Amino acid sequence: MTGTEAPSSGQPTEAPSYAQALAAARSLLFVPGHRADRFAKAAAAGADGVIVDLEDAVAPDGKDAARDDVAMWLAGGARAVVRVNAHGTEWFEADLAMAAAHGAPVMLPKAEDPAVLASIACRTGGRSPVLALIETAAGVENAAALCRAPNLVRAAFGNIDLAAQLGVDPDDHQALAYARSRVVCASAAAGLAPPLDGVTAALSADGPLPSDIAHARRMGFAGKLCIHPRQLDAVHEGFTPSAAEQDWARRVLTAGEAVTVVDGQMVDRPVLERARRILRATGG
């Protein structure tokens, strides 16, 4: 594939191990792009992946210096997702070029137009897997088309920005239930891994975090964006099938492919597939 050809499907065509790791991630930890002193600490914190943030975390007069710091870190062999500035801003082009030069995955904030995602795949030659951060009303309504974009490895839900646009509380599960469901369904329809839920603003592992994790998992999310290392253990535990779920899955698969009964419930093909997904999520 050349640098002017877009991939033909919604799945990544380059750096499969990197893309597969992002698809399976339970946690992605943000680190501000202007805090080079925190990059290595974030990478060592135990998250499944790190996002260096050149967008919301960095003031306009610090964008260029932050980009240079991130480029230097990536040049040293670090692996991280780069959250570039939004398409249409004065920093987008330089951010994208820097990420592509290092083969780093790109998180596109305020993803709304599938043509923009397609252009990223084309211009990076597929070298940079893409995560679409769906955080606006237009993005939610276009979720199905966004999730079918070339080289898109996963979608993520931006609850804070969307709630601000809608005028609702970002912690209100009911207020954002429609938007979350739409992103989950769009991901499944496109054959993507389940999406990542948005951040919980409270930094500690208690407070609203356990409830947010449980709600996201019930809605069909398989991971979460994190803003502090203290959140990671709870996120990993919450998005890993429990021992009871794993035991159920093994008993279902042991029962065989034919329609049967396990724990008083009928087991057929969809139930078998759910059992397989549970064990895949735990490496079983």
Side-chain angles (χ1 to χ4, degrees):
M1 188 174 110
T2 72
T4 59
E5 295 171 340
S8 60
S9 73
Q11 300 304 314
T13 58
E14 303 252 351
S17 61
Y18 210 158
Q20 288 168 2
L22 290 173
R26 299 159 299 171
S27 64
L28 291 181
L29 176 64
F30 281 109
V31 59
H34 67 297
R35 293 300 305 270
D37 58 310
R38 295 184 183 178
F39 293 170
K41 294 177 182 177
D48 292 336
V50 170
I51 304 170
V52 285
D53 185 10
L54 296 176
E55 192 213 14
D56 286 347
V58 183
D61 60 0
K63 301 280 191 185
D64 294 338
R67 186 187 313 111
D68 290 343
D69 286 344
V70 173
M72 184 177 300
W73 189 53
L74 295 175
R79 294 180 59 171
V81 178
V82 178
R83 178 158 79 164
V84 300
N85 283 278
H87 180 260
T89 66
E90 61 186 279
W91 308 285
F92 171 75
E93 299 290 346
D95 291 351
L96 180 61
M98 182 275 292
H102 296 283
V106 170
M107 172 176 273
L108 180 69
K110 299 175 178 61
E112 297 180 345
D113 185 353
V116 173
L117 292 172
S119 73
I120 292 174
C122 179
R123 292 164 60 189
T124 64
R127 292 186 302 276
S128 295
V130 181
L131 293 90
L133 184 56
I134 299 175
E135 54 184 344
T136 66
V140 170
E141 294 305 301
N142 290 335
L146 291 171
C147 288
R148 292 193 300 269
N151 219 40
L152 187 74
V153 67
R154 202 166 187 183
F157 182 63
N159 54 309
I160 302 295
D161 281 42
L162 179 62
Q165 184 182 12
L166 299 180
V168 301
D169 184 347
D171 296 328
D172 188 331
H173 293 165
Q174 183 175 355
L176 296 179
Y178 163 79
R180 281 191 165 96
S181 289
R182 196 168 177 96
V183 175
V184 169
C185 287
S187 296
L192 296 177
L196 296 157
D197 194 33
V199 303
T200 295
L203 299 183
S204 65
D206 50 13
L209 184 62
S211 175
D212 288 353
I213 293 168
H215 176 70
R217 191 169 178 212
R218 285 196 303 272
M219 297 291 288
F221 290 83
K224 189 171 177 65
L225 303 176
C226 300
I227 56 175
H228 197 282
R230 288 201 297 264
Q231 298 176 327
L232 295 175
D233 286 346
V235 168
H236 291 166
E237 180 180 356
F239 286 103
T240 298
S242 67
E245 289 174 305
Q246 295 177 54
D247 177 67
W248 171 85
R250 292 189 187 97
R251 286 188 287 109
V252 165
L253 294 179
T254 300
E257 295 289 331
V259 175
T260 185
V261 174
V262 174
D263 294 345
Q265 295 184 332
M266 185 185 74
V267 173
D268 56 7
R269 185 174 176 181
V271 177
L272 286 166
E273 180 53 33
R274 178 178 175 233
R276 293 188 184 101
R277 285 200 306 269
I278 288 173
L279 294 184
R280 282 198 300 267
T282 59

